[in-house]
C-alpha cells in the first residue's frame, strides 16, 4: 500500500476530491508501481499516459461509488 495516497471519498475527505487531489493520487500510484519517482526521458510519455489513465479511472470510481447510508457520492468531472 502506498501510504502517501489518501482516501478521496467522503466522509474521510470532507469535500469532494479536486482534480489536483485525483492527479496527485494517480501520480503516487504510478510512481509506486513503476519504481520511478521521475521517469527517464525515454519513459516520460508512457509514464504520463499512465498517470492520466489512472486519474480517469479514479474519477469514474469516485463518481459511481456508493457510501452506505449516503447514496451515490457525486464528483465533479
Amino acid at each position: 500500500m502506498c501510504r502517501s495516497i489518501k482516501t478521496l471519498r467522503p466522509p474521510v475527505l470532507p469535500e469532494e476530491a479536486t482534480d489536483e487531489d485525483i492527479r496527485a493520487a494517480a501520480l503516487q500510484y504510478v510512481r509506486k508501481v513503476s519504481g520511478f519517482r521521475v521517469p527517464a526521458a525515454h519513459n516520460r510519455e508512457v509514464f504520463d499516459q499512465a498517470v492520466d489513465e489512472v486519474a480517469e479511472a479514479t474519477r469514474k470510481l469516485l463518481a459511481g461509488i456508493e457510501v452506505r447510508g449516503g447514496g451515490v457520492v457525486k464528483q465533479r468531472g
Side-chain angles (χ1 to χ4, degrees):
M1 179 71 184
C2 190
R3 295 183 185 169
S4 50
I5 297 176
K6 63 183 180 178
T7 301
L8 298 179
R9 66 158 179 81
V12 177
L13 191 65
E15 299 176 6
E16 65 181 42
T18 65
D19 284 338
E20 186 177 313
D21 293 330
I22 291 170
R23 180 123 180 118
L27 178 59
Q28 287 299 327
Y29 175 81
V30 172
R31 284 175 172 169
K32 185 67 159 185
V33 170
S34 70
F36 297 110
R37 186 181 182 300
V38 178
H42 63 277
N43 288 325
R44 170 59 68 187
E45 185 177 344
V46 70
F47 188 92
D48 290 344
Q49 181 180 356
V51 173
D52 292 343
E53 290 174 5
V54 170
E56 182 58 26
T58 301
R59 281 185 202 91
K60 288 178 182 178
L61 172 66
L62 293 174
I65 205 165
E66 186 176 329
V67 178
R68 211 174 252 186
V72 175
V73 176
K74 297 294 181 187
Q75 295 288 322
R76 284 184 266 163

